[in-house]
Amino acid sequence: REREREREDKSTNFFLWNDDPRFLRVCVKKIERRRRERESNCLEKKKNKKRDQIIIIIMLQKAKTIKKTIKTEVKAIVHGQERVDKRGKPVTSIADRTNAFVSKSLAPKEYAELENACVKACNNDLSPPKEKHMQTLLLACGGGQGNHPDRVSVSDINYVLNSISRIISKASGWISMLKSHIVLHRLFQECGGKFQREFFHLAESLRNTRSGGKEQDLFSLKYWKDDSSRTAFELSGWVRAYALYFEEYTCCAKFWPFLCSQGGGSTPMQSYEFDKLLQHVPVTQTLMRRLTDCEPVGEILQRNDSPVRAATALIFKDSLKVFKLANEGVCALVGSFFEQDKSKARKGLEIYKRSLVQHEDLQRLYTTCHNMQIVNKVPALEAPPETFLATMQEYVDTAKVGEMPAGVGARRTNKPSGDASSQSSLVATSSASTTPQQNANATLDALFGEMNIQTPPQNARDPTNTGVSAAGDFVAAGTTPSTSNDDPFGLANINNGNTRGQHQQAQPAASTSTTPSQLPPPIRAHQPPPQQQQEQQQQQQQ
């Protein structure tokens, strides 16, 4: 107490002695500053303490998540279980996270975002490609809303295509392989013509540089499979079927841009002639068969995984245009069916029967999509009545055989020679107006048709190459021209003594008609003597 009183006396004396107001102001400021410093130090200590507590909590949470991910990884690797959290959402594996980080760090700076989007969209998560990664790729390749195709860079498109192609060549699991094809399928559907041109260039370069064997790259998954489990093995077969359909789809889209166009439109099938329809409609039916082969059945349908649902949704979207293209081709073919000859009508009937079977397969695919809850309503495909098919079959049975086109001769048949009328109908008769060169072309076409090989082009038979004289008379090589020239090839006097591939030159034709006595005797098989036959029979019995 005495000390405190002494301090108070000194302070009073001090203030009394230093009663200058300026001095008092300075003292008050110092006192206030020290008070604020003490308060701020206390607040900082409290903040640091709270921050340390928060950091500790975050580290504990991270440690728990790392422990859970390690458990899920061990279960997925050892027991083959899926990487799913408590809510049932897929969990990205540690390997995929590391792969995404490494690929992004190694990529060039201008392509780092595209590389990250490609790797994360094609990872092994049991989910479809995330929409944010797909939007990044669509904007880079010319798709998406409000994106002008002129602003798209070709280098970005090539980088995306090469990155996805590299992922396909290294993919070992069915999820990564399926998701990479889904990404390409969406880009091909929603991006413009610039992306499609670069895609065709890449596919052509891969086909040219492929050395054969068991290479694994885009459009070459014949030997690829996932052996990790029985379910993965079955799903890898379905992924190969989907990749084969995508290859067929891109090839047809290159010829018919209607398949990958945005919105509706008219197909070119209605403007084709009947002969052109016989060539093009089977191509669309092949594409339809590839499409219906991708129907999820068995274990694939029971699992109902989200990547499979995403791929099936894209197939359902394509099926509408593929069916329209094939159906209009069949309708145009049926429209002029009853005006054709027997051979063409028979081909058209086969195409029509195949289309009826594919209608049933496509209807079954639509029902499966409805059961998987991909679509709410199933489009109904109405099949034509059976009486129409019977009418077409009756027309084919009763149709007349059409005349041979110009430049095509008659073909032989294996039927025995009957009456003279049936025999004469099989012989090619040339009118007086036909030239000898046309006669020779008809005979040559008949010979090549019997041997089932392709007929040489007409320009290979011009007078300068085949020995036709300036007057138009055909002369076979190694023969002299005759007056009537009924035997244009000199077949009547060709020697039969060819030995060991050495062909003798044909002699000049003395006469154009041959009698049965002039024909060489038939070649008979060599028969052993009777004693040798008996010995052979005894050996066979023994």
Side-chain angles (χ1 to χ4, degrees), residues 29 49 58 80 174 295 304 386 396 447 471 495 499 526 541:
K29 286 181 180 179
K49 191 175 181 180
I58 291 172
W174 69 271
E295 178 189 358
N304 199 8
E386 297 180 358
V396 171
L447 291 173
N495 294 328
T499 58
H526 176 69
Q541 289 177 1

Side-chain angles (χ1 to χ4, degrees), residues 31-46:
I31 293 169
E32 290 292 331
R33 186 171 53 213
R34 288 176 182 176
R35 185 179 60 80
R36 286 196 299 268
E37 287 178 358
R38 286 196 300 268
E39 291 179 356
S40 63
N41 290 333
C42 292
L43 291 173
E44 286 181 0
K45 288 180 180 179
K46 290 181 180 179

Side-chain angles (χ1 to χ4, degrees), residues 485-504:
N485 197 13
D486 293 332
D487 186 16
F489 286 97
L491 300 175
N493 294 304
I494 293 178
N495 294 328
N496 297 320
N498 297 333
T499 58
R500 295 184 182 180
Q502 296 180 356
H503 300 280
Q504 298 180 359

Side-chain angles (χ1 to χ4, degrees), residues 411-422:
R411 301 196 177 181
R412 296 180 184 176
T413 58
N414 296 326
K415 294 180 181 181
S417 59
D419 54 343
S421 61
S422 63

Side-chain angles (χ1 to χ4, degrees), residues 69 82 117 179 254 335 354 419 483 497:
T69 53
E82 300 174 355
K179 290 171 75 170
K254 187 177 182 180
R354 200 179 303 124
D419 54 343
T483 56

Side-chain angles (χ1 to χ4, degrees), residues 125-316:
D125 292 348
L126 194 63
S127 62
K130 288 186 179 180
E131 193 62 27
K132 64 177 183 180
H133 303 317
M134 283 303 307
Q135 289 300 323
T136 303
L137 297 176
L138 286 171
L139 290 174
C141 297
Q145 296 180 356
N147 193 7
H148 200 272
D150 296 337
R151 301 175 185 173
V152 179
S153 175
V154 178
S155 60
D156 293 346
I157 296 174
N158 289 326
Y159 188 86
V160 171
L161 288 173
N162 291 325
S163 179
I164 297 175
S165 179
R166 185 173 64 252
I167 292 170
I168 291 174
S169 62
K170 296 180 180 180
S172 59
W174 69 271
I175 300 176
S176 179
M177 183 67 74
L178 179 59
K179 290 171 75 170
S180 59
H181 280 82
I182 290 172
V183 171
L184 280 178
H185 199 164
R186 281 198 61 182
L187 292 175
F188 193 85
Q189 278 184 347
E190 301 180 20
C191 294
K194 189 179 289 187
F195 175 83
Q196 294 169 6
R197 285 193 298 270
E198 297 301 325
F199 180 84
F200 292 138
H201 291 163
L202 175 66
E204 190 67 25
S205 65
L206 288 175
R207 291 190 184 98
N208 293 334
T209 58
R210 193 176 297 146
S211 60
K214 296 185 178 182
E215 288 189 51
Q216 177 182 327
D217 57 6
L218 183 64
F219 297 157
S220 179
L221 302 178
K222 185 177 180 181
Y223 299 100
W224 174 84
K225 58 183 177 181
D226 187 0
D227 297 340
S228 59
S229 63
R230 186 182 65 85
T231 306
F233 185 79
E234 184 176 353
L235 285 161
S236 61
W238 189 83
V239 173
R240 284 198 303 271
Y242 177 69
L244 191 61
Y245 158 71
F246 180 62
E247 179 182 4
E248 192 80 22
Y249 172 75
T250 52
C251 294
C252 292
K254 187 177 182 180
F255 188 74
W256 291 300
F258 163 77
L259 293 174
C260 56
S261 61
Q262 298 292 334
S266 60
T267 63
M269 288 293 183
Q270 296 179 355
S271 61
Y272 290 167
E273 297 180 355
F274 194 84
D275 295 336
K276 202 170 184 180
L277 289 170
L278 291 179
Q279 297 176 0
H280 291 179
V281 175
V283 177
T284 61
Q285 291 181 340
T286 303
L287 177 61
M288 181 70 72
R289 183 169 58 85
R290 300 290 187 202
L291 187 143
T292 53
D293 287 344
C294 297
E295 178 189 358
V297 293
E299 184 72 20
I300 309 168
L301 180 60
Q302 291 177 4
R303 287 171 60 90
N304 199 8
D305 291 328
S306 52
V308 177
R309 287 168 53 84
T312 310
L314 293 175
I315 292 171
F316 175 81

